[in-house]
Each structure stands twice: as C-alpha cells, then as structure tokens.
Amino acid sequence: QVQLVESGGGSVQAGGSLRLSCAASGRTFNSNAMGWFRQAPGKEREFVAAISWIRDSTHTAASVKGRFTISRDNAKNTVYLQMNSLKPEDTAVYYCAAGGEGAITRSPDYWGQGTQVTVSS
C-alpha cells in the first residue's frame, strides 16, 4: 500500500556530508510518521531518526544527535536525512521507514529497499 524509495547514498571521506531522500507513494494516510534506520554488517538494525507529519516533533538517536538532521517536504511526501561530520562507524545500509507516530521508532509498517552509505577514514 505504501512504497518508499531511498536515494542519495554513496561513498564519502570521514568528516564529509551526504543527504538522503525518501519519497513515499501509495496510500500513506495512515502513516503519520517517517524515519530512518541503518544496519551495518554483523549488527542489528538500528533506529536513526524519525519525524511526525502531524506535529512539530522529531527524534534522533544519541549516536547521531548533533550530526544528523531529519526534515520533510509535505507537498512532495518526501523525508530527508542530512548527515554531517560523517564517521567510519556510520557506514551502513540506510533504510527509510513509515508507520504510526507511536510505533515508528520500534515497528514501522513499511520499509524501503535501502541505500548504501560508506564512510572511509
């Protein structure tokens, strides 16, 4: 019912920046929040950031707070993740997610296919 398509991943040196985009389409009216997760090789999928469509609120993980910023464009049904001061430990596949506001950080209803982010030292 909801399709999520990520873009903007790539390779960057430590200290650099990348901007990820996630475009949502389909029947999105029950998905009141969108966010980002990431998964590095050998590690569990980790919550990164989320934003609510219906109130002025965001949540970011402690590991990226102060470096990553999530934002939205309501007219385009698109969410962005601006990643600054990237570190090698940020290397992972980044997944866009959508779901209810109360559950987005733990159990999203929909997932994108993921986009690779590689940070070299």
Side-chain angles (χ1 to χ4, degrees):
Q1 289 187 297
V2 176
Q3 183 179 9
L4 305 173
V5 180
E6 304 100 329
S7 62
S11 298
V12 65
Q13 292 185 339
S17 298
L18 286 172
R19 188 194 192 201
L20 305 183
S21 299
C22 176
S25 61
R27 303 182 69 84
T28 62
F29 55 87
N30 284 329
S31 296
N32 295 320
M34 292 179 62
W36 294 91
F37 290 71
R38 67 185 183 184
Q39 188 166 22
K43 300 187 69 175
E44 295 182 348
R45 190 166 295 188
E46 174 190 23
F47 170 76
V48 176
I51 187 168
S52 172
W53 293 108
I54 60 176
R55 56 177 51 89
D56 184 19
S57 63
T58 62
H59 179 64
T60 57
S63 59
V64 304
K65 194 171 186 178
R67 299 187 298 118
F68 292 10
T69 302
I70 188 169
S71 61
R72 69 191 185 197
D73 185 332
N74 292 25
K76 296 181 179 180
N77 289 322
T78 299
V79 172
Y80 306 94
L81 185 68
Q82 179 67 47
M83 304 184 294
N84 298 326
S85 301
L86 283 162
K87 305 174 181 179
E89 51 262 44
D90 295 319
T91 296
V93 176
Y94 283 71
Y95 296 91
C96 182
E101 186 179 40
I104 184 65
T105 62
R106 295 183 178 181
S107 57
D109 297 317
Y110 305 98
W111 294 94
Q113 294 299 306
T115 185
Q116 177 71 47
V117 172
T118 302
V119 184
S120 60
S121 60

Coordinates of all heavy atoms in Angstrom, one line a residue, residues 81-118:
L81 N 17.3 13.1 5.2 CA 18.3 12.9 6.3 C 19.6 13.6 5.9 O 20.3 13.0 5.0 CB 18.5 11.4 6.6 CG 19.4 11.2 7.8 CD1 18.7 11.6 9.1 CD2 19.7 9.7 7.9
Q82 N 19.9 14.7 6.5 CA 21.1 15.4 6.3 C 22.1 14.9 7.2 O 22.0 15.0 8.5 CB 20.9 16.9 6.5 CG 22.2 17.7 6.3 CD 22.7 17.7 4.8 OE1 21.9 17.9 3.9 NE2 24.0 17.5 4.6
M83 N 23.2 14.3 6.7 CA 24.2 13.7 7.5 C 25.5 14.5 7.4 O 26.1 14.5 6.3 CB 24.5 12.2 7.1 CG 23.2 11.4 7.1 SD 23.5 9.6 6.8 CE 24.0 9.8 5.1
N84 N 26.0 15.1 8.5 CA 27.2 15.9 8.5 C 28.2 15.2 9.5 O 27.9 14.4 10.3 CB 26.9 17.3 9.0 CG 26.0 18.0 8.1 OD1 26.0 17.9 6.9 ND2 25.2 18.9 8.7
S85 N 29.5 15.6 9.3 CA 30.5 15.1 10.2 C 30.5 13.6 10.2 O 30.6 13.0 11.3 CB 30.4 15.7 11.6 OG 30.5 17.1 11.5
L86 N 30.4 13.0 9.1 CA 30.3 11.5 9.0 C 31.6 10.8 9.5 O 32.7 11.3 9.3 CB 30.0 11.1 7.6 CG 28.6 11.3 7.1 CD1 28.4 11.3 5.6 CD2 27.7 10.2 7.7
K87 N 31.3 9.7 10.2 CA 32.4 8.9 10.7 C 32.4 7.5 10.1 O 31.3 7.1 9.6 CB 32.2 8.7 12.2 CG 32.1 10.0 13.0 CD 31.7 9.8 14.5 CE 31.6 11.1 15.2 NZ 31.2 10.8 16.7
P88 N 33.5 6.8 10.1 CA 33.5 5.4 9.6 C 32.5 4.5 10.2 O 31.9 3.7 9.5 CB 34.9 4.9 9.9 CG 35.7 6.2 9.9 CD 34.9 7.2 10.5
E89 N 32.1 4.7 11.4 CA 31.1 3.9 12.1 C 29.7 4.2 11.6 O 28.8 3.5 12.0 CB 31.2 4.0 13.6 CG 31.2 5.4 14.1 CD 32.6 6.0 14.4 OE1 33.5 5.7 13.6 OE2 32.8 6.6 15.5
D90 N 29.5 5.2 10.8 CA 28.2 5.5 10.2 C 28.0 4.6 9.0 O 26.9 4.6 8.4 CB 28.1 7.0 9.8 CG 28.1 7.9 11.0 OD1 27.5 7.5 12.0 OD2 28.7 9.0 10.9
T91 N 29.0 3.9 8.5 CA 28.9 3.0 7.4 C 27.8 2.0 7.6 O 27.9 1.2 8.6 CB 30.2 2.4 7.0 OG1 31.2 3.4 6.7 CG2 30.1 1.4 5.9
A92 N 26.8 1.9 6.7 CA 25.7 1.0 6.9 C 24.8 1.1 5.7 O 24.9 2.0 4.9 CB 24.9 1.3 8.2
V93 N 23.8 0.2 5.6 CA 22.7 0.4 4.7 C 21.7 1.2 5.4 O 21.2 0.8 6.5 CB 22.2 -1.0 4.2 CG1 20.9 -0.8 3.3 CG2 23.2 -1.7 3.4
Y94 N 21.2 2.2 4.9 CA 20.2 3.1 5.5 C 18.8 2.8 4.9 O 18.7 2.8 3.6 CB 20.6 4.6 5.3 CG 21.7 5.0 6.3 CD1 23.0 4.6 6.1 CD2 21.4 5.8 7.3 CE1 24.0 4.9 7.0 CE2 22.4 6.2 8.2 CZ 23.7 5.8 8.0 OH 24.7 6.1 8.9
Y95 N 17.8 2.6 5.7 CA 16.5 2.2 5.3 C 15.5 3.3 5.7 O 15.5 3.7 6.9 CB 16.1 0.9 5.9 CG 16.9 -0.3 5.5 CD1 18.0 -0.7 6.3 CD2 16.5 -1.1 4.4 CE1 18.7 -1.8 5.9 CE2 17.3 -2.2 4.0 CZ 18.4 -2.5 4.8 OH 19.1 -3.6 4.4
C96 N 14.7 3.7 4.8 CA 13.6 4.6 5.1 C 12.4 3.7 5.6 O 12.2 2.6 5.2 CB 13.1 5.3 3.8 SG 11.8 6.4 4.0
A97 N 11.6 4.3 6.5 CA 10.5 3.6 7.1 C 9.3 4.5 7.3 O 9.5 5.8 7.4 CB 10.9 3.0 8.5
A98 N 8.1 4.0 7.3 CA 6.9 4.7 7.6 C 6.0 3.9 8.5 O 5.9 2.7 8.5 CB 6.2 5.0 6.3
G99 N 5.2 4.7 9.3 CA 4.3 4.0 10.2 C 3.6 5.0 11.1 O 3.7 6.2 10.9
G100 N 2.8 4.4 12.1 CA 2.1 5.3 13.0 C 3.1 6.0 13.9 O 4.2 5.6 14.2
E101 N 2.7 7.2 14.4 CA 3.5 8.1 15.1 C 4.1 7.4 16.4 O 5.2 7.6 16.8 CB 2.8 9.3 15.5 CG 3.6 10.4 16.2 CD 2.8 11.6 16.5 OE1 1.7 11.5 16.9 OE2 3.4 12.7 16.3
G102 N 3.2 6.6 17.1 CA 3.6 6.0 18.3 C 4.5 4.8 18.2 O 5.1 4.4 19.2
A103 N 4.6 4.2 17.0 CA 5.4 3.0 16.8 C 6.6 3.1 15.8 O 7.3 2.1 15.6 CB 4.5 1.9 16.3
I104 N 6.8 4.3 15.3 CA 7.7 4.4 14.2 C 9.2 4.1 14.6 O 9.9 3.5 13.8 CB 7.7 5.9 13.6 CG1 8.6 6.0 12.4 CG2 8.1 6.9 14.7 CD1 8.2 5.2 11.2
T105 N 9.5 4.3 15.9 CA 10.9 4.0 16.3 C 11.2 2.6 16.6 O 12.3 2.2 16.6 CB 11.2 4.8 17.6 OG1 10.4 4.4 18.6 CG2 11.1 6.3 17.3
R106 N 10.1 1.8 16.7 CA 10.3 0.4 17.0 C 9.8 -0.6 16.0 O 10.4 -1.6 15.7 CB 9.6 0.1 18.4 CG 10.3 0.8 19.5 CD 9.6 0.4 20.8 NE 10.2 1.0 22.0 CZ 9.8 0.8 23.2 NH1 8.8 0.0 23.5 NH2 10.4 1.4 24.2
S107 N 8.6 -0.3 15.4 CA 8.0 -1.3 14.5 C 7.3 -0.6 13.4 O 6.0 -0.5 13.3 CB 7.0 -2.2 15.2 OG 6.0 -1.4 15.9
P108 N 8.0 0.0 12.4 CA 7.4 0.6 11.3 C 6.5 -0.4 10.4 O 6.8 -1.6 10.4 CB 8.6 1.1 10.4 CG 9.7 1.2 11.4 CD 9.5 0.0 12.4
D109 N 5.6 0.2 9.7 CA 4.7 -0.6 8.9 C 5.3 -0.9 7.5 O 4.9 -1.9 6.9 CB 3.3 0.1 8.8 CG 2.6 0.2 10.1 OD1 2.6 -0.8 10.9 OD2 2.0 1.3 10.3
Y110 N 6.1 0.0 7.0 CA 6.6 -0.1 5.7 C 8.1 0.2 5.7 O 8.6 1.0 6.5 CB 5.9 0.8 4.7 CG 4.4 0.6 4.7 CD1 3.6 1.5 5.5 CD2 3.8 -0.4 4.0 CE1 2.2 1.3 5.5 CE2 2.5 -0.6 4.0 CZ 1.6 0.2 4.7 OH 0.3 0.0 4.7
W111 N 8.8 -0.4 4.7 CA 10.3 -0.3 4.6 C 10.6 0.0 3.2 O 10.0 -0.5 2.2 CB 11.0 -1.5 5.1 CG 10.9 -1.8 6.5 CD1 10.0 -2.6 7.1 CD2 11.7 -1.3 7.6 NE1 10.2 -2.7 8.5 CE2 11.3 -1.9 8.8 CE3 12.8 -0.4 7.6 CZ2 11.9 -1.6 10.0 CZ3 13.4 -0.1 8.8 CH2 12.9 -0.7 10.0
G112 N 11.7 0.8 3.0 CA 12.3 1.0 1.7 C 13.3 -0.1 1.4 O 13.5 -1.0 2.3
Q113 N 13.9 -0.1 0.3 CA 14.9 -1.1 -0.1 C 16.3 -0.9 0.5 O 17.1 -1.8 0.5 CB 15.0 -1.3 -1.6 CG 13.7 -1.8 -2.2 CD 13.3 -3.2 -1.8 OE1 14.1 -4.1 -1.8 NE2 12.1 -3.3 -1.2
G114 N 16.5 0.3 0.9 CA 17.8 0.7 1.5 C 18.8 1.3 0.5 O 18.7 1.1 -0.7
T115 N 19.7 2.1 1.0 CA 20.7 2.7 0.2 C 22.0 2.7 1.0 O 22.1 3.0 2.2 CB 20.3 4.2 -0.1 OG1 21.3 4.8 -1.0 CG2 20.2 5.1 1.1
Q116 N 23.1 2.3 0.3 CA 24.4 2.1 1.0 C 25.1 3.5 1.3 O 25.2 4.3 0.4 CB 25.3 1.2 0.1 CG 26.7 1.0 0.7 CD 26.7 0.2 1.9 OE1 26.1 -0.9 2.0 NE2 27.4 0.6 3.0
V117 N 25.6 3.6 2.5 CA 26.4 4.8 2.9 C 27.7 4.2 3.3 O 27.8 3.4 4.3 CB 25.8 5.6 3.9 CG1 26.8 6.7 4.5 CG2 24.5 6.3 3.4
T118 N 28.8 4.6 2.7 CA 30.2 4.2 3.1 C 31.0 5.4 3.4 O 31.2 6.3 2.6 CB 30.8 3.4 1.9 OG1 30.0 2.3 1.6 CG2 32.2 2.9 2.3

